[in-house]
Amino acid sequence: MSRPSQARLDLAALRHNVALASELAPNARVMAVVKANAYGHGAVTMARELEPRVDAMAVACLEEALELRESGIRAPILLLEGVFEPAELAVAAREQIWVTVDNATQLAWLEQARLDKPLQCWLKVDTGMHRLGTEPGQAQRYFERITSCPNSLGKPVVSTHFASADDTGSETTRRQLALFEQATAALGVLRSAANSPGLLAWPASHYDWVRPGYMLWGNSPFGTALQANAARLRPVMTLCSAVISVRDVASGEAVGYGESWRAERPSRIATVTIGYGDGYPRTARNGTPVLVNGQRAPLAGRVSMDMITVDVTDLVPVQVGDPVVLWGEGLPVAEVAEPAGTIGYELLTRMPPRCPRIVVNA
């Protein structure tokens, strides 16, 4: 019998989430962000399911785009960070991959390239993230140069990226939207601003293209805070395992490495075959919730490479073989990430190959 730890991937949930994205922004085109191996879910598997349901996809780099092309994905693919050297432009042109231009160096490479066919370009404007993008005051000049460049397929789509859209009361987001409006109002161009929190909570940001990423996998970009549209999402990944041992521990006895948890009463401890070698965070604190037989129980003791221990004293009697959910259906990943001192994005994208992905509801 194989080790029971696995990441179950529900394609019906993915279909539901992308339908929600389209419903919330009915007048916008949908660009599914599948970078970082589709946030740990498997880029090729997820892209194949998404392709007939979205208008384009986005990745971080050319290598990620080529993986999709080699797997048969023909949908438009945007390089969110653009190219990292001039030679990549010819590959992008050959494979019909869209490119972002966000600085003077990339613009010069585009203008100087000798390409067999022109590229669809996107122009990124920095409205406050201060990571990538041209200054708002330079947007028109960049736009005109890209539009007149023989290597560009007409007008670029103009985009920006939010720094704090996961804060639904953010003044920064309002300022970014105002700057973006100022920079693009006279261009008569297609625009894109909404990432997942923008799509869910900032309808003024929807414009012509929306770029959902994290929300596609059924997780709220607002963490554990309640947000009405995010509450409608369904998790695609459920990290699950099983109980492999149950034991009684006397009051005062410690459990696990470093004796970080000590029983304050006679306790029942279940050992589960999952650990940081499978993607469960070592930094998860005592008390982090775990579902055992659908019942919540607290983590008790330090996370090991291959196992965790859970205090099941107050549950209906637990037995070897009982199912365990670490996050996903019934337990949002944010509730695990918060006591681990991180965010759900990191937990999902760091899922290692050791943990098998099992596709359901294909």
Side-chain angles (χ1 to χ4, degrees):
M1 180 179 177
S2 62
R3 189 164 178 262
S5 56
Q6 59 182 230
R8 192 168 63 241
L9 304 175
D10 185 350
L11 295 187
L14 177 62
R15 294 189 289 269
H16 167 85
N17 298 333
V18 75
L20 177 61
S22 296
E23 175 192 329
L24 294 175
N27 299 316
R29 301 175 191 175
V30 177
M31 174 174 282
V33 180
V34 294
K35 63 182 180 176
N37 197 30
Y39 292 60
H41 291 68
V44 171
T45 300
M46 297 300 118
R48 284 175 175 160
E49 190 66 27
L50 287 166
E51 186 168 29
R53 296 172 173 84
V54 298
D55 300 283
M57 300 185 203
V59 296
C61 59
L62 187 61
E63 290 84 355
E64 291 181 335
L66 291 177
E67 179 189 18
L68 298 182
R69 283 286 183 258
E70 289 162 6
S71 72
I73 299 298
R74 304 316 325 156
I77 303 171
L78 173 66
L79 304 182
L80 291 169
E81 298 174 24
V83 297
F84 304 133
E85 58 182 37
E88 292 188 334
L89 289 169
V91 180
R94 184 186 72 228
E95 298 294 336
Q96 296 183 300
I97 294 167
W98 299 356
V99 300
T100 297
V101 175
D102 65 65
N103 60 61
T105 300
Q106 288 180 336
L107 178 55
W109 289 346
L110 179 70
E111 291 175 328
Q112 295 162 13
R114 296 182 178 181
L115 304 179
D116 293 333
K117 57 182 73 173
L119 290 159
Q120 174 62 59
C121 296
W122 282 47
L123 170 63
K124 179 166 282 186
V125 178
D126 179 14
T127 57
M129 184 71 167
H130 300 327
R131 195 176 59 176
L132 296 176
T134 184
E135 292 295 319
Q138 297 294 316
Q140 183 164 350
R141 186 171 68 90
Y142 271 65
F143 175 80
E144 290 170 353
R145 286 176 62 181
I146 294 171
T147 302
S148 63
C149 177
N151 289 321
S152 172
L153 196 62
K155 295 180 179 180
V157 178
V158 182
S159 69
T160 196
H161 193 64
F162 294 129
S164 301
D166 54 342
D167 173 3
T168 55
S170 170
E171 287 302 321
T172 297
T173 303
R174 293 187 180 93
R175 285 196 300 271
Q176 285 193 260
L177 279 167
L179 268 175
F180 192 57
E181 285 284 346
Q182 261 184 337
T184 59
L187 299 181
V189 68
L190 297 178
R191 296 179 288 182
S192 177
N195 53 2
S196 287
L199 178 51
L200 290 164
W202 297 86
S205 73
H206 291 174
Y207 293 113
D208 304 291
W209 281 93
V210 291
R211 309 188 308 271
Y214 191 58
M215 67 168 285
L216 292 178
W217 323 115
N219 302 296
S220 172
F222 309 101
T224 56
L226 182 64
Q227 202 279 331
N229 289 326
R232 299 170 62 190
L233 296 168
R234 291 169 48 187
V236 175
M237 178 190 292
T238 295
L239 181 63
C240 51
S241 190
V243 173
I244 58 170
S245 178
V246 184
R247 70 190 59 247
D248 294 313
V249 173
S251 179
E253 289 295 312
V255 174
Y257 287 122
E259 302 176 282
S260 67
W261 184 89
R262 194 172 295 276
E264 297 179 353
R265 58 177 176 167
S267 300
R268 190 81 164 152
I269 299 296
T271 301
V272 180
T273 178
I274 196 87
Y276 60 80
D278 306 291
Y280 193 80
R282 185 181 181 276
T283 52
R285 298 194 302 264
N286 291 328
T288 299
V290 177
L291 291 185
V292 182
N293 280 331
Q295 307 167 85
R296 287 190 173 225
L299 187 69
R302 188 174 295 168
V303 175
S304 305
M305 185 182 295
D306 314 305
M307 290 175 280
I308 62 170
T309 41
V310 182
D311 182 359
V312 296
T313 309
D314 296 327
L315 303 191
V316 172
V318 171
Q319 301 177 359
V320 170
D322 283 350
V324 175
V325 168
L326 290 312
W327 66 63
E329 191 173 354
L331 181 59
V333 69
E335 291 193 42
V336 180
E338 192 171 88
T342 186
I343 55 176
Y345 294 73
E346 182 181 19
L347 295 187
L348 297 180
T349 57
R350 291 183 65 182
M351 286 296 296
R354 182 195 198 194
C355 190
R357 275 67 161 173
I358 307 299
V359 173
V360 299
N361 295 322

